[in-house]
Amino acid sequence: MRMINLSPGILLIADPFLKDPNFARTVILLCEHQPKGSLGFVINKLFDQQLHHLVPEVMISNIPVYFGGPVQMDTIHFVHQQPELIDGGVEIIPGVYWGGHFEQVVAALNKGLLEPGQIKFFIGYAGWTDGQLEGEIQEKSWIISHSDTTLVFEQQEQLIWQQSLRNLGSNFAMMANFPIDPSLN
């Protein structure tokens, strides 16, 4: 297997047998990886409320919010593809930006300037302390992959985990069909 360095823009694909209910069958977009720790967002687990429920200033309904992770569930984060509309974002892979000025996001949404496929919102985030993520990778909790912009902004979140594995080639593609609980087979 090829070695991929941990860095912003890497995808962390949950091992098929990862039991943690927060991360079972998830894909995480890593946005920050530093000696003090790492931060990312689960890109394929819908939250039970939409953005206009959480941010009353948003006048558009039907904008999904994803469960970014179990840390600071009182915060909203986003990744987007529109740096010309949203200042202050950090480019984590070519064409994908993390964060920026939230007031500009709300204004752009309300004016119809942002399409759902150009921005993704998260409540909370996934975080690791120094060395914790590396330890989980050594324990085989995560499969590491390069990011794919199409996957990051995929609207059918139920497809992301399986497609992430298939993108890694035939050795991983069959893992995409593993049952959640093999003892039930």
Side-chain angles (χ1 to χ4, degrees), residues 39-108:
L39 177 146
F41 303 107
V42 175
I43 61 172
N44 67 322
K45 192 172 181 182
L46 270 179
F47 189 62
D48 61 2
Q49 294 182 46
Q50 294 180 338
L51 188 63
H52 71 281
H53 295 124
L54 303 171
V55 182
E57 298 82 14
V58 174
M59 295 183 281
I60 310 297
S61 60
N62 299 326
I63 299 173
V65 174
Y66 293 81
F67 169 79
V71 181
Q72 290 189 348
M73 290 287 296
D74 59 347
T75 60
I76 294 179
H77 308 269
F78 59 96
V79 294
H80 63 91
Q81 295 178 297
Q82 295 296 315
E84 64 281 351
L85 294 176
I86 306 165
D87 295 330
V90 174
E91 190 171 34
I92 53 174
I93 60 172
V96 177
Y97 298 80
W98 165 38
H101 297 293
F102 196 72
E103 304 78 29
Q104 291 175 329
V105 172
V106 172

Side-chain angles (χ1 to χ4, degrees), residues 111-128:
K111 291 177 186 173
L113 300 175
L114 276 172
E115 296 293 323
Q118 300 171 324
I119 191 163
K120 203 167 213 179
F121 294 93
F122 308 97
I123 189 157
Y125 65 88
W128 297 266

Side-chain angles (χ1 to χ4, degrees), residues 125-142:
Y125 65 88
W128 297 266
T129 58
D130 178 26
Q132 183 181 5
L133 179 55
E134 290 85 351
E136 290 179 14
I137 290 168
Q138 285 180 342
E139 294 169 358
K140 306 275 191 243
S141 296
W142 301 105

Side-chain angles (χ1 to χ4, degrees), residues 6 16-17 25 35 38 41 45 68 97 103 128 147 162-163 170:
L6 290 176
F17 303 113
R25 304 279 165 125
S38 304
F41 303 107
K45 192 172 181 182
Y97 298 80
E103 304 78 29
W128 297 266
S147 275
Q162 289 178 324
Q163 190 57 51
S170 59

